[in-house]
Amino acid sequence: MQIKTGLLIAIEGIDGAGKSTLANILARQLIALNHSVILTKEPGGTHLGKQLRDILQTQLYPLDPKAEYLLFAADRAQHFHDIIIPYLQQNNIVISDRMSDSSLVYQGYGRGLDISTLQTINAWAMNNITPDITIYVRVAYTVARERILQRNMQLTAFEKEQDIFLQKLVVGFDDLLLSNPHCIVIDGTTTPEIVAITAIEKVLQWIKSRTKQ
Ligand code: TYD
């Protein structure tokens, strides 16, 4: 089943919130309901993005915050060009694990870059397309930190940041998303199943309301 004009869903939250698990379950369930779904992510949804993701996650040498942001923006521009725009034009549901709000939060609130400059560059990279729905998986940074440590995987540059940085990220996502009418806020401290059921119910309600118009 294809949505008349495509549907862009961004999933946002701090590292360890459970976004990737949710993105996978949501995609599987929408496919089971016969929707055409593309699951993608930032950074790393394209060939260029995979190389940039490697640089950004490892940060073998310190990156200037502006340079760090511009690499995310380059990933985003290529992602919109190669994946998001073409698949939306073919009326698919495109689910992206992270998108522009991650830059506003990590590079804006976290690194202190000017938010309105980031918004301008994001809009340019995204051809002024914004997500129809943003799902914000919300958890306390202490819960997220604990989950990341339990994964027992090598930590990325962002996961190595101190608590003060994580606290800024939570403030940022809360400021940007809690009262945003396009945003579905989900409590990420419950089980992955409950998070997924809540998200899918809300997405289906949204699809239904849009097809009635
Ligand atoms: P990734 O492993 O994709 O994070 P996860 O899968 O846990 O979401 O690594 C991406 C990291 O990049 C993540 O820590 C968040 C950060 N990030 C930014 O700082 N700015 C951005 O614009 C984006 C998209 C991600």
Side-chain angles (χ1 to χ4, degrees):
M1 195 191 320
Q2 287 181 328
I3 307 267
K4 234 187 290 168
T5 52
L7 174 67
L8 181 57
I9 303 177
I11 306 191
E12 296 281 8
I14 58 174
D15 296 277
K19 290 173 294 74
S20 307
T21 310
L22 171 62
N24 279 298
I25 303 179
L26 185 62
R28 270 208 311 274
Q29 296 201 357
L30 289 170
I31 289 168
L33 292 169
N34 270 333
H35 288 289
S36 310
V37 179
I38 304 300
L39 178 57
T40 181
K41 66 178 174 188
E42 290 187 12
T46 63
H47 293 300
L48 171 69
K50 287 191 180 72
Q51 291 185 303
L52 293 175
R53 180 185 159 97
D54 198 36
I55 297 170
L56 286 159
Q57 281 188 334
T58 52
Q59 304 215 3
L60 295 176
Y61 34 83
L63 292 182
D64 169 67
K66 286 182 193 161
E68 180 185 88
Y69 166 68
L70 289 169
L71 294 180
F72 281 113
D75 165 75
R76 187 159 299 131
Q78 193 73 34
H79 190 213
F80 270 72
H81 176 269
D82 288 3
I83 302 208
I84 297 199
I85 294 174
Y87 282 109
L88 285 177
Q89 281 172 345
Q90 292 161 26
N91 301 335
N92 293 286
I93 298 179
V94 180
I95 302 175
S96 183
D97 185 350
R98 292 196 186 282
M99 205 180 276
S100 42
D101 288 333
S102 280
S103 281
L104 301 186
V105 169
Y106 281 76
Q107 281 67 51
Y109 284 79
R111 304 277 194 233
L113 295 183
D114 177 59
I115 305 267
S116 69
T117 306
L118 304 185
Q119 283 170 324
T120 304
I121 300 172
N122 277 347
W124 183 57
M126 296 158 77
N127 279 16
N128 293 317
I129 295 168
T130 52
D132 297 290
I133 306 173
T134 299
I135 302 177
Y136 171 25
V137 188
R138 187 169 187 260
V139 288
Y141 76 90
T142 42
V143 174
R145 166 84 84 208
E146 195 54 36
R147 287 181 185 165
I148 289 167
L149 295 177
Q150 276 175 6
R151 274 183 206 159
N152 229 355
M153 280 160 58
Q154 203 177 352
L155 299 183
T156 67
F158 297 96
E159 290 165 351
K160 285 182 195 151
E161 288 286 345
Q162 303 297 313
D163 284 358
I164 179 91
F165 184 79
L166 296 180
Q167 282 165 5
K168 288 182 192 166
L169 301 183
V170 175
V171 169
F173 278 121
D174 282 0
D175 270 6
L176 290 176
L177 296 177
L178 285 185
S179 52
N180 179 329
H182 292 275
C183 183
I184 297 170
V185 183
I186 295 186
D187 176 7
T189 50
T190 58
T191 64
E193 292 74 23
I194 296 177
V195 169
I197 289 167
T198 318
I200 190 131
E201 270 174 7
K202 299 205 172 171
V203 169
L204 290 175
Q205 270 170 21
W206 194 96
I207 293 174
K208 213 167 134 194
S209 71
R210 197 152 102 164
T211 36
K212 267 193 215 149
Q213 285 163 13

